[in-house]
Amino acid sequence: MTAPSPQGPGARLSAYLVTDRRLVPRGDLPALVDRALALAPKGSVAVQLREKDLTSRELLVLARALGEITRARGASLLVNDRIDVALAAGADGVHLAGHSLPPKDARRILGPDLLLGASAHSLEEARRARAAGCDFATFGPVFPTPSKAPLGSPLGLEALEKACAALAPFPLIALGGLDLDSAGACRAAGAAGVAAIRAWLLAPDPAEAVRRLLEAGAPARLE
């Protein structure tokens, strides 16, 4: 399978919002997602539903609730790992982790039209994601972050830049320890987009935080 073109769906995901409902005041994740997407241009943002502790039924209910919001706001919804939940909820795609089904098998189940992303922690892993037919890969951790501490030392901007150059035009989304200030550096290094958890979930104004993530050094080819 050939790599996606620079105009493919993965190349348009300038901001990748990963969820963690435990960080949300009063636990109302759908309401926060709705606020966060209020200023985002259609087609520029994806939300990754990543709530590993939920049962299948609970995850499906939440995915359907988020799907209503993302469709109304013109954003994409991807479910972490759970292809079955993504299909049942009518989500836009799936994000695969290291323990997930291999991307080629996931693609056969999803079909050609749904988004398929994968986590990559090295250039070689990102290269395998491209070869297996993924639309994009997250690459990181770029900076230190508690959630990625078990993966070892952060990769850094130099590794991100080298991976982006080696795999272009395959879209890499920078992940790990990003904030509103460092997002621009990742985009300058060649990242197609930036992924964040705390930078938008804990922001006083989530919509403004997402707007700033989108504007942080956005390359012209992605607009």
Side-chain angles (χ1 to χ4, degrees):
M1 183 175 292
T2 58
S5 74
Q7 278 70 48
R12 295 193 293 270
L13 300 180
S14 299
Y16 198 54
L17 310 181
V18 183
T19 73
D20 185 344
R21 73 189 191 287
R22 295 168 297 183
L23 300 177
V24 179
R26 297 178 297 280
D28 194 349
L29 180 62
L32 185 69
V33 169
D34 191 37
R35 293 199 302 274
L37 296 175
L39 302 177
K42 291 184 177 181
S44 62
V45 178
V47 176
Q48 184 200 142
L49 177 58
R50 185 177 182 272
E51 305 292 341
K52 298 181 180 181
D53 61 319
L54 293 181
T55 66
S56 298
R57 186 181 298 271
E58 291 168 336
L59 190 63
L60 178 59
V61 169
L62 185 53
R64 284 174 170 163
L66 291 184
E68 291 183 4
I69 293 166
T70 54
R71 283 190 294 272
R73 293 292 192 184
S76 300
L77 175 66
L78 289 86
V79 178
N80 185 70
D81 184 44
R82 296 293 301 272
I83 298 174
D84 55 341
V85 173
L87 292 174
D92 300 289
V94 172
H95 186 98
L96 301 176
H99 60 267
S100 302
L101 283 178
K104 288 184 178 180
D105 294 311
R107 176 57 79 193
R108 282 196 290 267
I109 297 170
L110 292 172
D113 298 327
L114 295 186
L115 281 166
L116 182 61
S119 297
H121 310 298
S122 67
L123 172 58
E124 184 54 37
E125 288 184 4
R127 185 176 281 117
R128 288 199 296 267
R130 180 184 65 172
C134 290
D135 294 298
F136 68 94
T138 55
F139 185 85
V142 179
F143 304 109
T145 176
S147 65
K148 300 297 182 182
L151 298 174
S153 301
L155 301 176
L157 283 171
E158 183 177 354
L160 173 64
E161 184 173 14
K162 289 181 177 178
C164 290
L167 299 179
F170 181 67
L172 293 181
I173 296 177
L175 171 72
L178 274 73
D179 56 27
L180 298 178
D181 294 322
S182 60
C186 291
R187 301 297 284 273
V194 291
I197 302 177
R198 290 171 176 81
W200 70 281
L201 284 173
L202 298 180
D205 185 342
E208 176 64 14
V210 172
R211 185 190 68 79
R212 290 181 59 190
L213 285 172
L214 288 169
E215 289 186 351
R221 70 178 178 85
L222 296 176
E223 299 303 325

